[in-house]
Amino acid sequence: MFRIVEKTELAAGIFRMRVEAPRVAASALPGQFVIVRADEQGERVPLTVADYDRTAGTVTIVTQTIGVSTRKICALEAGDALADFAGPLGHPSEFVTLSPEALRGRRYLFVAGGVGTAPVYPQVKWLHEHGVGADVIVGAKTRDMLIYTDEMRAVAGNLYIATDDGSEGYKGMVTGLIRELIDTRGKRYDECVAIGPMVMMKFVALATREYGLKTTVSLNALMVDGTGMCGACRVTVGGKTFFTCVDGPEFDGHAVDFDEAMRRQGMYRTQEERARAIAAEREAGHRCRIGLDK
């Protein structure tokens, strides 16, 4: 069992948990993920590592209440325990393999959307600890949905905020802010890392392609099993098939077939809707008969 040391609601339906997992914390690196189960009957949920503390032996995850399983995880409180917390899994971010000299010579732009801001944070923090001040764009629909802005300011070279409704920072999409930074403010970058909703990453990659700017995206949202056995996270990159969980989760954004990835992301929508209905029936104290009646 893995005890939840601390729980914080970052925004409506978005929770941060710091979990006791010394062995995971000892070897975790930016870009990797863990498999979490709320209880013995729970679904395996892949979550990207949002931070880790090797001294304290804790790993931080951020979860949004979208489906039945994530709601079950988010219902737990500090002092409760998760049944499983396996990892770290997946390949770490490419830049962790670079020498300090190579790192300091590169200019990074991170683009984070919604809950994707959480896994961007350990990457920017790692670069900061190695003498690199990366620029960061954090995007959300409205200021009430922004997360990790204070934490990001502490480690980023520059933090830029974009909200769809203009309630904070730049009014509009993150792609518009990318163009403003490059075209109007004269910013130049060697690499862009984008993590967020699939459609956001698609349009970030389309925008950066125009500038010939290398772009890395994280496809964690596609994963189901997390070990390569189920095949649900297959993705086409450069015309070849890869498994997000074992070959990624980070890939060349200019080579990813995003349209296929978004279709695959919706494969289990019917099953999730059925699971929600069953959960609602149980909460109401009724025996669910969905799928039983002819």
Side-chain angles (χ1 to χ4, degrees), residues 51-134:
D51 201 3
Y52 50 87
D53 186 327
R54 303 199 199 286
T55 302
T58 60
V59 176
T60 301
I61 55 173
V62 173
T63 314
Q64 185 172 17
T65 54
I66 297 176
V68 173
S69 296
T70 51
R71 289 179 185 277
K72 187 181 289 188
I73 291 171
C74 292
L76 298 173
E77 301 292 344
D80 293 336
L82 296 160
D84 287 325
F85 198 88
L89 300 168
H91 295 281
S93 301
E94 183 182 2
F95 57 72
V96 303
T97 64
L98 299 179
S99 68
E101 295 75 19
L103 274 175
R104 285 193 286 269
R106 294 184 66 77
R107 296 160 294 182
Y108 286 90
L109 172 65
F110 287 82
V111 183
V115 182
T117 308
V120 163
Y121 172 70
Q123 300 195 25
V124 178
K125 179 183 176 183
W126 191 94
L127 287 170
H128 173 75
E129 292 171 346
H130 289 77
V132 180

Side-chain angles (χ1 to χ4, degrees), residues 48 64 66 110-120 123 137-140 147 174 193-204 215-222 249-250 258 261-262 265:
T48 314
Q64 185 172 17
I66 297 176
F110 287 82
V111 183
V115 182
T117 308
V120 163
Q123 300 195 25
I137 295 174
V138 173
I147 64 172
V174 293
V193 178
I195 305 178
M198 196 73 71
V199 67
M200 183 211 83
M201 292 189 290
K202 172 184 176 178
F203 283 99
V204 167
T215 298
T216 299
V217 297
S218 177
L219 304 182
N220 179 67
L222 283 176
E250 297 185 346
F258 279 104
M262 285 188 285
Q265 196 174 23

Side-chain angles (χ1 to χ4, degrees), residues 132-153:
V132 180
D135 283 2
V136 181
I137 295 174
V138 173
K141 290 183 178 180
T142 179
R143 68 180 301 171
D144 293 335
M145 296 303 292
L146 290 166
I147 64 172
Y148 269 82
T149 53
D150 291 340
E151 293 88 344
M152 208 71 81
R153 283 191 183 94

